[in-house]
Amino acid sequence: MVRLWVLNTLPAHWKRCRDGPTDADAHPERQLGHPWHGIPSGGRAPDPRQLTPGEDLFVVRQTGGVGVSGIWTFENARRVDDQAIVPDVWRDHDGETRDYDWLLYCRGSPEREVEPPMREDFGGSFPFHHSKLTGTGIAMEGADRAAYVEALIDHGISATAERRLRDALEAPATGGTAAADSDPPARTEYTTTRTIRDTKLSTMAKELYDHRCQLCGDRRDRRDGSAYAEAHHVKPLGTPHRGPDTASNLLVLCPNHHADFDYGRVRVDPDSLVVTHAFDDAVDGTFLTVHADHDLDPASLEYHNDRIASF
Ligand SMILES: [Zn+2]
């Protein structure tokens, strides 16, 4: 299971966080120039030894209302034996010197930078409004994870980042939860609306279409020969859209046309199912393929069309 951690950084420290350590003596060479983060002593961050290198993701947000600014892959956690390797600006905390327990290193991946940052202004009803994201790191599981990821995807992050996050959602919800469970103060704050993604439903929809894109008919294969398609919620699940997680609100798409839907480059007439695409002549003017057993709701298509009209 891919875990997401939300990490907070002060806007004044953002650049240092993003650019990684610069001291080659104190930090292993391979990590120079890669994003990193510190966990202060006495905080309520989960134990970073729970994280899986190369798999778990950090969602890094700038505090003070700036919002999510980067998504990175965790690479290494290192216990701080000597406080001298922690930047002074991190240690200076309102005039007092703060010690650090851990340094977290990420793999560099500039395409995952969220630019502009995703403002976390969800009208106060979203469980991850910035006021809920206190603390250095919050491990997210299940419905919380899905809700946050949907919000990120709705924001229009890069296609690479979106694919990785969707993979994180598709991953089975198994594995250790000890870190999150040992962090009750953060978890008890999650009391508001959640979005639950039914992965079984999207798997069924993909099988119904033989993993072929409803727009172009394309079917992509993984290296092992198994087919690959993406499920798209026409009316997004997250706040403020609150689309239903039902087959009537799902399309099976290839990665390109999925991105085109997300970026508002394609619309489908709810009545005639005629496709209008901004630049892809191969599908522009064709009909959306809808299986006889797929009861697609025209209202979802209408919602999408209205929504992208404001992009
Ligand atoms: Zn397609």
Side-chain angles (χ1 to χ4, degrees):
M1 181 184 70
V2 177
R3 297 167 61 99
L4 289 181
W5 273 34
V6 176
L7 302 178
N8 297 316
T9 186
L10 292 171
H13 298 169
W14 160 243
K15 193 174 180 304
R16 183 180 293 270
C17 173
R18 182 195 62 193
D19 294 346
T22 54
D23 181 351
D25 292 330
H27 301 274
E29 180 107 51
R30 68 194 171 89
Q31 291 156 341
L32 292 178
H34 290 184
W36 66 330
H37 198 85
I39 296 186
S41 308
R44 60 178 193 192
D47 188 335
R49 286 170 292 192
Q50 301 280 338
L51 292 168
T52 308
E55 187 175 332
D56 293 323
L57 295 172
F58 289 149
V59 174
V60 183
R61 57 185 296 275
Q62 295 184 63
T63 55
V66 179
V68 174
S69 303
I71 302 164
W72 286 302
T73 304
F74 166 69
E75 183 172 282
N76 191 15
R78 188 174 159 206
R79 201 180 264 289
V80 179
D81 297 321
D82 178 1
Q83 296 296 324
I85 68 173
V86 180
D88 290 342
V89 290
W90 289 3
R91 298 198 66 205
D92 181 17
H93 186 62
D94 293 336
E96 288 183 37
T97 302
R98 183 163 60 173
D99 285 346
Y100 278 69
D101 286 341
W102 293 93
L103 293 175
L104 308 174
Y105 299 92
C106 310
R107 290 184 182 171
S109 190
E111 74 274 12
R112 289 194 194 114
E113 208 162 307
V114 182
E115 183 55 48
M118 181 186 87
R119 302 235 2 221
E120 292 160 325
D121 179 8
F122 300 112
S125 62
F126 194 75
F128 294 100
H129 186 270
H130 59 82
S131 65
K132 308 292 186 194
L133 288 167
T134 52
T136 298
I138 297 174
M140 288 193 286
E141 308 286 347
D144 296 337
R145 191 172 53 143
Y148 200 85
V149 167
E150 283 300 329
L152 282 169
I153 290 170
D154 282 352
H155 177 68
I157 54 175
S158 76
T160 305
E162 178 177 338
R163 193 149 310 130
R164 191 72 206 286
L165 286 170
R166 287 197 187 281
D167 284 349
L169 276 185
E170 296 287 336
T174 56
T177 57
D181 289 340
S182 66
D183 194 30
R187 290 177 68 82
T188 53
E189 289 178 351
Y190 305 155
T191 55
T192 48
T193 311
R194 310 209 173 159
T195 306
I196 299 167
R197 170 183 283 255
D198 187 344
T199 52
K200 204 155 73 180
L201 186 71
S202 64
T203 302
M204 281 170 55
K206 290 171 191 173
E207 282 170 0
L208 181 65
Y209 286 95
D210 192 27
H211 293 80
R212 289 185 187 280
C213 175
Q214 287 181 251
L215 233 63
C216 68
D218 202 10
R219 181 180 193 270
R220 308 186 75 83
D221 291 333
R222 292 191 179 88
R223 189 192 291 261
D224 66 3
S226 63
Y228 176 75
E230 296 183 354
H232 172 63
H233 288 91
V234 183
K235 184 177 181 180
L237 298 185
T239 306
H241 313 292
R242 303 199 177 283
D245 194 11
T246 57
S248 65
N249 188 39
L250 271 188
L251 289 179
V252 176
L253 298 168
C254 71
N256 280 346
H257 288 130
H258 192 181
D260 293 343
F261 260 94
D262 285 340
Y263 294 129
R265 308 320 308 274
V266 60
R267 47 174 289 151
V268 177
D269 186 274
D271 301 316
S272 67
L273 297 181
V274 169
V275 174
T276 304
H277 197 292
F279 56 83
D280 187 348
D281 293 340
V283 297
D284 187 53
T286 64
F287 291 92
L288 182 77
T289 300
V290 181
H291 194 281
D293 292 338
H294 183 190
D295 191 18
L296 181 65
D297 187 353
S300 287
L301 293 173
E302 207 170 326
Y303 186 92
H304 169 79
N305 294 345
D306 289 347
R307 181 173 164 241
I308 67 172
S310 64
F311 277 18

